[in-house]
Amino acid sequence: MRTAQQILADSAVIAVVGASRDPLKAAHAVPAQMQRYGWRIIPVNPTVDELFGERAYPTLADIPHPVDLVDVFRPAADAVQVVRDAAAIGAPAVWLQLGIFSTEARRIAEQAGMDYIEDRCLIIERAAAGLTRLA
């Protein structure tokens, strides 16, 4: 199991389930900041066509290319299905944002051989490690 910082260092494409168009929400601000530091952000939100200058997809299964990490901004009750969906597309890692915990989601991720992080924030981990994907 890779650490949170190893996952970020190894990832280039992050699918953000629950990405928000509201700039006041963490589900907008966090992926926007990761994008500013060089990560490609793929928004997963069935109610929008585009976010962060990228096409948005209604589900993980609709994304036509591989992703390195699935970041989850959904309630813990939804995390189980998101992790199942992430496993189905072959994502190597899943990350539940601050305040999101799920014993069942962790079990599913472990059984699928996926790295699993919960209750951690991408931008905090990125800053702590001084990570960037910019040249």
Side-chain angles (χ1 to χ4, degrees):
M1 177 84 77
R2 295 177 293 168
T3 67
Q5 293 174 352
Q6 287 171 324
I7 292 168
L8 286 179
D10 294 345
S11 297
V13 179
I14 303 172
V16 181
V17 177
S20 175
R21 67 179 126 205
D22 182 346
L24 299 177
K25 290 187 174 183
H28 181 93
V30 170
Q33 185 174 122
M34 294 301 290
Q35 187 180 56
R36 281 194 295 277
Y37 280 93
W39 280 265
R40 181 173 181 205
I41 300 298
I42 307 300
V44 179
N45 181 325
T47 67
V48 297
D49 294 326
E50 183 179 299
L51 278 172
F52 319 113
E54 291 276 355
R55 179 177 173 199
Y57 295 91
T59 69
L60 288 171
D62 294 315
I63 300 172
H65 51 76
V67 299
D68 302 312
L69 172 61
V70 173
D71 184 33
V72 182
F73 278 99
R74 299 290 306 144
D78 296 346
V80 171
Q81 187 58 51
V82 173
V83 172
R84 283 187 184 116
D85 295 346
I89 67 164
V94 67
W95 187 302
L96 279 55
Q97 282 294 136
L98 280 175
I100 307 171
F101 303 88
S102 174
T103 303
E104 180 69 5
R106 176 183 292 277
R107 185 189 63 72
I108 292 164
E110 288 172 353
Q111 286 181 344
M114 297 173 19
D115 291 313
Y116 180 87
I117 303 291
E118 64 182 11
D119 190 35
R120 306 272 287 274
C121 180
L122 290 176
I123 60 176
I124 292 171
E125 297 300 325
R126 186 217 60 77
L131 294 171
T132 183
R133 296 206 62 86
L134 299 173

